[in-house]
Amino acid sequence: MTRKLNEIRRTAKFSWNPGHHRMLATGTMAGTFDGSSTTTSELELFEINPDNFTLQPSHKVNTTTRFNTLAWGSVNPSRTHGVIAGGMESGDLELWDPSAILDNKSESECLILRNATHSGTLAALDFNLFQTNLLASAGSKSEVYIWDLNQPTTPFTPGARSSKMDEISSVAWNCQVQHIVSTASTSGYTVIWDLRNKKEVMALAYQGSGRGSISSIDWHPDIATQIVTASNEDQNPIISLWDLRHAQSPEKVLTGHNKGVLDVSWSKQDSDLLLSCGKDGKTLCWNPNTGNLNGQLSNNNKWAYEVDWCPRHPNLLASASFDGSINVFSIQDKPPLNNDPSASFHLKHPPKWLRRPVGASFGFSGKLVTFTNKAAQAAVSAATVSGTTLPNLKTLTRPVTITTIETDPEIIKRSEQLESATEDNVHALIEDRIKAEKENQDWKVLQTLFSDHARENLMQYLGFEKDQLLAVSNTLLLPPKEQDTVSTLFSETLEPEAGFFDSSPPAVIESHPFSLYASSDETDKLITHAIVFGDFESAINVCLATKRFSDAIMFAMCGGPELLARTQKAYFESQSKKFTYLRLLQGIVEGDLSTIVRDADLKDWASILVILCTFAKSEDFSRLCEALGDRLVQDMNYKSHATLLYLAAGHLEKVSSIWISQFEQEEEKDTVTHGVRLQALVEKVTIFRKAINYEDQATMSSSGKFVLARLYEKYCEYAEFMASQGQLEVALKYMSLTPKEYDRMSGGAVVRDRVFHASRAARQMGQEEPSFPFEKKIVSNKQAEEEILVTCNNNITDLLVNHSELNHTTQNKTIVNDQPLHSATATIGPPPAAAAKSVVWNHPSMRTSPNNKNLAAAAAGPAGIINRMTTPFVPIRGLNGPPPPPPSSNTTLGYYSAHQQFRATTPPPAPPPAPPNEERSNNALTRQTKNK
């Protein structure tokens, strides 16, 4: 599992860059001889190439003395590469600026501080993890100092010198409590210091035989009370795990080295990984929590004196030995490269940084299943604080949470408004949409359909006002006002005295004598003779022949309705070509508005619609509006106005077709707002259906031609979207607006089935369960074996459900007419109820090799019959069908898993003959009749 990335041919102390850079600092080790005649000491920086993991010496600087210890820390915004601290052979503490080293500056420019506070050897250094400006140093004569790098000239001590300390070999800060630091000594004691109280608080004594010398210590990365100590005694090379709450003896003792242990390093990212190296040349990896040895990373010929994990890249580690090399390893599972043959390292479980601290998975109907490890972390923290025994993490319960995710809350809000409006107040919704939307013409027309005087409101919407026409006509009829030239003295109106007119004589009737044949015109005489004899028809004929149309109409009024109708017809035939208003009047008088709809110029379409609103009968209104709309559709200049005519006609098929076409055109231009536009489409269709009281006969019949197929498709898409937002009741409602036969032919049956079974409310309300959306086909055992063999010969992978678990076998490919088609077959025995619910059809564990000789026998099942479940329908979205809308802030689709991978093995049945056109109820426009 581990591999050696590279090595540095140096006998040196090293330290990792604590920042995000893959860098390693090395300092020539004191008291060593590399075989060359040189006695120089160098501080070098190496960078790991992330592409090929090669180590490249970046820069270096010469130092006056060699290094006993090396530490790298104090990374902050002002020092992005931090500070390198060195405990020198001379006993001095030196602080170096790695940024200056990388810039190839001189030794004096790179050196930040050289301090000789330590009176003897300086053997150990460590930076505080929390306050990175604090550095602990320790060495001979029990000297321990804390340095503040903001003021590094004067260090302070953690307390009085401990009598238990002698030559201090290691120092380490606590990983959880920032004011706790520990030191280890060759005397066998490990002392815990409290900087807040400036005193020694505890001492851990070496438990082995002999004097005992502690070479290295390290704190548990997660638990503040646990620490490991390493003994460099060859007679008893042990690693002890201590818990300060039970400090009388160690919790665990790790034995695996043949000689003394020289260094330990506990992974900060995974407390189950502890490194150790020793005089036997081995570098080992332990699980200190269980006491098990994970394995050996390397085996050197000479002492391995230092080992350390990379703090920022936890899969990297380095080990140094007196072979004259520093080896860099990775525990990632990659192809080996120059691996040590003695390495036997293997982890039973992935390290914690590769495990999921949290997990999430989306399910149908917008469900999100999540889990976290917070409960385990809280239990460990509580045990640490209270001092109780740590819990067994494997037995702790971890909550699994199921939530409903609404990715488009604005659309869900609009959907809720729509559902509420269809039950209570449609007018409020329409008013809101008129105010909110820029292109609100459709909503304004829909508003007129719900009014009590729908035709009048529609005419007003078109801009025709009767009051304005009446005012203009009355102005034309008024006589001209005479100018008053009399003095205002006589303009006052005097009231007559009472009783003045009461005594006036009766009015005199004037007489106007005339002669019947006064005119010498023969035409006048003929007309007079016809009147005398009461022959109005002859009088009319004479008037028409002499172009006396007004006289003819007057005579026709005296001759009865039939004679009047003939006279009007003759009049219109003669005069309508001269005056277009007479052509219009002819259609109105004769009740033939279809000729106006058919022949009138389309530029006057609005006036034609007003004529229909004024004169059309209820039974003719829808037909005439639809005919006018059909004419507008054929003309590109007026096509956009056809929607208004179809709305007035109450023609759902054509209105929805236009709206859907507009929706698809906008989809090509803007795919981001797909969900919003789909919601707007469904809103308009729903309100329009309510306005005309539409009843879809296709949902009540078992077969037929589906004229609303495009609308059904959008209903299915909308139901899918609502289901993905957790709105199952809404999704089920719109799926019920699609015919079941259409669902069966289009694939919507899968949507209906999933929505129904996911909706608890639907089952509680006792709704009828939809039929199983896959066709069952029974084939013989022999035929099934032949198909399986053909499939195997073509090297097609078979999808099988383990028969031992569920007595349920599936086959992923079937050959029909020598052509491979996707299908699914299943042997259905009597599976346990609990197991049946947990079947995952396409799980990898259920796939069986086609070379399995027992394949046919397993597929046969106990009864020797296979019930093949196939879907002979066209796949819908998510079923390898039309691609879903692109991801956005208001569209989240993606709904089906296993069932969607099935295809038809038989062609769909031919659709039955079309039924008569759907019945449409008359809307408010058709119910209103204008009295003429």
Side-chain angles (χ1 to χ4, degrees):
M1 184 173 180
T2 183
R3 70 163 175 155
K4 180 179 175 182
L5 298 180
N6 217 314
E7 69 177 7
I8 304 173
R9 299 302 301 176
R10 302 283 191 279
T11 302
K13 303 294 288 186
F14 70 87
S15 183
W16 288 99
N17 186 326
H20 294 282
H21 304 281
R22 290 186 177 93
M23 298 183 70
L24 194 69
T26 65
T28 307
M29 188 173 179
T32 60
F33 179 69
D34 58 5
S36 62
S37 59
T38 180
T39 59
T40 60
S41 176
E42 296 175 335
L43 176 61
E44 296 180 271
L45 302 182
F46 292 84
E47 188 170 1
I48 300 178
N49 190 322
D51 298 327
N52 53 18
F53 294 97
T54 57
L55 280 168
Q56 301 171 350
S58 298
H59 300 83
K60 64 181 179 180
V61 63
N62 293 328
T63 61
T64 56
T65 59
R66 296 192 175 190
F67 292 83
N68 286 328
T69 183
L70 196 66
W72 196 343
S74 191
V75 175
N76 54 57
S78 61
R79 293 185 181 270
T80 57
H81 287 284
V83 174
I84 297 177
M88 312 308 292
E89 188 178 18
S90 60
D92 294 342
L93 171 68
E94 293 184 354
L95 302 180
W96 298 85
D97 184 0
S99 298
I101 298 175
L102 292 172
D103 293 338
N104 292 321
K105 294 184 178 180
S106 64
E107 177 184 349
S108 59
E109 292 176 306
C110 296
L111 183 63
I112 301 174
L113 172 73
R114 179 180 288 123
N115 189 290
T117 300
H118 280 273
S119 60
T121 303
L122 200 167
L125 295 169
D126 192 30
F127 281 94
N128 191 298
L129 297 177
F130 301 95
Q131 292 179 272
T132 58
N133 60 304
L134 296 183
L135 172 67
S137 66
S140 60
K141 301 180 182 180
S142 302
E143 291 180 337
V144 182
Y145 294 104
I146 308 298
W147 305 78
D148 184 355
L149 300 190
N150 296 328
Q151 299 175 347
T153 55
T154 307
F156 63 91
T157 62
R161 292 191 182 184
S162 173
S163 60
K164 301 179 180 64
M165 294 283 100
D166 187 7
E167 298 289 332
I168 298 179
S169 56
S170 181
V171 62
W173 290 95
N174 191 286
C175 298
Q176 297 294 322
V177 184
Q178 61 184 2
H179 61 273
I180 299 296
V181 67
S182 60
T183 56
S185 172
T186 56
S187 63
Y189 282 97
T190 300
V191 175
I192 313 299
W193 302 86
D194 184 354
L195 300 187
R196 183 172 295 174
N197 297 313
K198 292 188 176 182
K199 67 177 182 177
E200 170 188 339
V201 294
M202 185 177 295
L204 306 175
Y206 171 69
Q207 298 294 312
S209 59
R211 179 172 178 266
S213 175
I214 306 300
S215 58
S216 180
I217 55 175
D218 206 354
W219 287 93
H220 194 293
D222 303 321
I223 302 175
T225 59
Q226 292 190 4
I227 188 173
V228 291
T229 62
S231 169
N232 63 359
E233 292 294 326
D234 294 342
Q235 295 78 14
N236 194 22
I238 61 174
I239 301 172
S240 302
L241 172 62
W242 300 82
D243 193 315
L244 303 185
R245 294 168 295 185
H246 314 284
Q248 294 80 10
S249 61
E251 294 283 324
K252 292 182 179 65
V253 176
L254 311 179
T255 58
H257 284 278
N258 300 326
K259 294 184 179 181
V261 183
L262 297 179
D263 196 17
V264 291
S265 177
W266 211 330
S267 172
K268 298 299 186 287
Q269 281 78 17
D270 189 350
S271 61
D272 290 341
L273 296 178
L274 175 71
L275 295 175
S276 67
C277 63
K279 298 177 183 179
D280 55 4
K282 295 179 181 179
T283 301
L284 305 180
C285 182
W286 307 82
N287 184 339
N289 298 312
T290 62
N292 297 328
L293 178 64
N294 291 325
Q296 178 176 302
L297 275 72
S298 66
N299 189 6
N300 299 284
N301 296 325
K302 297 183 180 180
W303 292 8
Y305 58 84
E306 187 174 10
V307 66
D308 196 14
W309 293 98
C310 180
R312 288 291 184 178
H313 303 278
N315 63 303
L316 299 180
L317 61 101
S319 175
S321 70
F322 286 119
D323 288 346
S325 64
I326 300 174
N327 297 319
V328 178
F329 299 91
S330 172
I331 64 171
Q332 293 292 112
D333 191 8
K334 294 182 178 180
L337 176 64
N338 301 327
N339 267 18
D340 187 349
S342 63
S344 60
F345 174 73
H346 179 74
L347 291 178
K348 295 181 179 179
H349 304 285
K352 287 184 179 179
W353 63 83
L354 296 180
R355 302 179 200 171
R356 296 184 186 180
V358 295
S361 179
F362 282 98
F364 183 71
S365 71
K367 295 297 187 295
L368 177 66
V369 183
T370 59
F371 70 88
T372 65
N373 199 30
K374 292 182 178 180
Q377 296 173 353
V380 172
S381 301
T384 302
V385 174
S386 62
T388 58
T389 304
L390 291 177
N392 186 352
L393 299 181
K394 295 182 179 179
T395 61
L396 290 176
T397 58
R398 293 167 173 80
V400 177
T401 306
I402 302 178
T403 55
T404 301
I405 302 298
E406 294 182 357
T407 58
D408 300 279
E410 184 63 28
I411 298 179
I412 299 304
K413 180 180 178 181
R414 291 186 57 169
S415 174
E416 293 173 351
Q417 292 177 349
L418 175 62
E419 299 307 313
S420 175
T422 53
E423 297 177 0
D424 301 324
N425 189 1
V426 177
H427 298 281
L429 176 68
I430 296 177
E431 288 288 348
D432 181 70
R433 295 297 180 264
I434 291 175
K435 295 177 181 178
E437 298 183 11
K438 295 181 180 179
E439 298 182 359
N440 54 15
Q441 291 83 0
D442 293 338
W443 285 108
K444 290 182 178 179
V445 177
L446 289 173
Q447 186 180 40
T448 64
L449 301 183
F450 284 94
S451 62
D452 295 333
H453 305 283
R455 295 194 183 187
E456 285 81 353
N457 289 340
L458 184 58
M459 289 189 290
Q460 291 177 2
Y461 168 76
L462 293 173
F464 291 83
E465 297 285 349
K466 288 185 178 180
D467 295 339
Q468 295 179 359
L469 179 62
L470 183 62
V472 173
S473 61
N474 289 338
T475 303
L476 296 176
L477 293 176
L478 290 176
K481 185 176 181 181
E482 297 181 357
Q483 296 294 330
D484 190 2
T485 57
V486 183
S487 172
T488 56
L489 177 64
F490 304 98
S491 63
E492 296 181 0
T493 302
L494 300 177
E495 294 292 337
E497 295 182 2
F500 179 81
F501 294 101
D502 295 342
S503 59
S504 61
V508 178
I509 299 176
E510 296 182 2
S511 176
H512 300 282
F514 69 97
S515 174
L516 295 178
Y517 302 102
S519 175
S520 60
D521 190 350
E522 293 297 327
T523 301
D524 293 345
K525 292 181 179 180
L526 289 174
I527 295 173
T528 303
H529 280 296
I531 295 174
V532 171
F533 289 106
D535 189 359
F536 293 107
E537 185 174 358
S538 298
I540 292 172
N541 292 334
V542 174
C543 291
L544 292 176
T546 57
K547 306 298 182 179
R548 300 183 180 186
F549 297 107
S550 301
D551 297 342
I553 294 298
M554 296 302 296
F555 289 135
M557 294 175 60
C558 300
E562 183 179 355
L563 184 59
L564 178 60
R566 292 204 309 268
T567 306
Q568 289 175 343
K569 183 177 181 180
Y571 172 74
F572 288 134
E573 289 176 352
S574 174
Q575 299 296 310
S576 60
K577 295 180 180 179
K578 298 179 181 179
F579 307 100
T580 55
Y581 64 85
L582 291 180
R583 176 77 179 272
L584 174 62
L585 180 61
Q586 180 182 6
I588 296 173
V589 171
E590 296 178 354
D592 187 12
L593 299 179
S594 59
T595 58
I596 301 175
V597 172
R598 183 186 67 241
D599 300 330
D601 196 328
L602 286 180
K603 68 180 181 180
D604 301 321
W605 67 269
S607 298
I608 300 172
L609 179 56
V610 173
I611 293 172
L612 298 181
C613 291
T614 307
F615 299 102
K617 298 179 181 179
S618 298
E619 59 270 20
D620 298 331
F621 184 81
S622 294
R623 175 180 56 83
L624 295 173
C625 288
E626 180 182 353
L628 181 57
D630 292 341
R631 287 191 63 198
L632 294 177
V633 168
Q634 301 301 322
D635 194 314
M636 295 302 298
N637 295 325
Y638 303 102
K639 186 177 182 179
S640 59
H641 301 297
T643 308
L644 192 153
L645 274 300
Y646 290 142
L647 285 170
H651 204 297
L652 178 61
E653 174 191 350
K654 295 184 177 180
V655 170
S656 62
S657 179
I658 292 176
W659 282 342
I660 293 173
S661 297
Q662 294 173 351
F663 174 86
E664 293 173 348
Q665 291 174 1
E666 294 172 357
E667 184 78 359
E668 296 176 356
K669 301 177 182 178
D670 179 17
T671 58
V672 177
T673 58
H674 173 88
V676 175
R677 287 183 284 103
L678 180 61
Q679 175 66 33
L681 172 64
V682 172
E683 286 178 358
K684 290 192 292 186
V685 171
T686 302
I687 297 301
F688 182 50
R689 290 184 66 145
K690 184 175 181 64
I692 62 177
N693 296 321
Y694 185 82
E695 294 182 3
D696 192 356
Q697 300 299 323
T699 58
M700 304 177 187
S701 60
S702 59
S703 62
K705 180 181 178 182
F706 303 110
V707 295
L708 294 176
R710 296 182 68 189
L711 180 59
Y712 297 154
E713 180 184 354
K714 295 304 175 185
Y715 277 157
C716 290
E717 185 177 342
Y718 184 71
E720 290 180 79
F721 178 76
M722 286 291 109
S724 71
Q725 305 296 307
Q727 304 295 318
L728 294 175
E729 287 73 18
V730 177
L732 195 62
K733 170 186 174 182
Y734 285 93
M735 284 306 303
S736 64
L737 297 178
T738 61
K740 295 181 180 179
E741 184 67 15
Y742 171 83
D743 292 344
R744 191 188 70 83
M745 296 178 63
S746 65
V750 177
V751 184
R752 187 190 294 266
D753 180 75
R754 296 203 71 184
V755 170
F756 176 85
H757 288 94
S759 175
R760 181 182 303 175
R763 298 193 300 274
Q764 291 177 349
M765 294 171 59
Q767 294 188 16
E768 181 183 357
E769 182 177 355
S771 58
F772 188 63
F774 301 99
E775 181 185 10
K776 295 181 179 180
K777 180 181 178 182
I778 300 177
V779 298
S780 67
N781 184 28
K782 182 178 180 181
Q783 181 180 352
E785 292 179 7
E786 293 176 353
E787 291 181 353
I788 292 173
L789 292 177
V790 173
T791 304
C792 295
N793 292 334
N794 286 277
N795 295 323
I796 302 176
T797 303
D798 298 294
L799 179 62
L800 296 178
V801 176
N802 193 327
H803 183 71
S804 62
E805 293 182 359
L806 187 56
N807 191 18
H808 199 108
T809 308
T810 59
Q811 175 188 345
N812 195 42
K813 296 284 185 176
T814 301
I815 303 300
V816 179
N817 296 329
D818 297 329
Q819 295 295 327
L821 298 176
H822 294 280
S823 68
T825 63
T827 300
I828 304 178
K837 295 181 180 179
S838 62
V839 175
V840 182
W841 295 86
N842 58 351
H843 195 278
S845 63
M846 298 181 181
R847 298 188 181 128
T848 304
S849 171
N851 298 322
N852 190 348
K853 296 181 180 180
N854 298 322
L855 188 61
I865 293 179
I866 295 178
N867 292 333
R868 173 171 302 157
M869 296 183 297
T870 64
T871 172
F873 315 128
V874 179
I876 62 171
R877 183 185 307 282
L879 289 166
N880 299 325
S888 67
S889 63
N890 45 29
T891 301
T892 304
L893 301 175
Y895 321 122
Y896 307 104
S897 55
H899 296 302
Q900 300 171 345
Q901 301 175 9
F902 302 152
R903 289 261 191 184
T905 58
T906 57
N917 293 334
E918 285 81 1
E919 296 180 2
R920 296 189 299 271
S921 300
N922 293 331
N923 59 14
L925 291 174
T926 60
R927 291 193 300 266
Q928 183 180 353
T929 304
K930 177 69 178 179
N931 296 324
K932 298 181 290 293

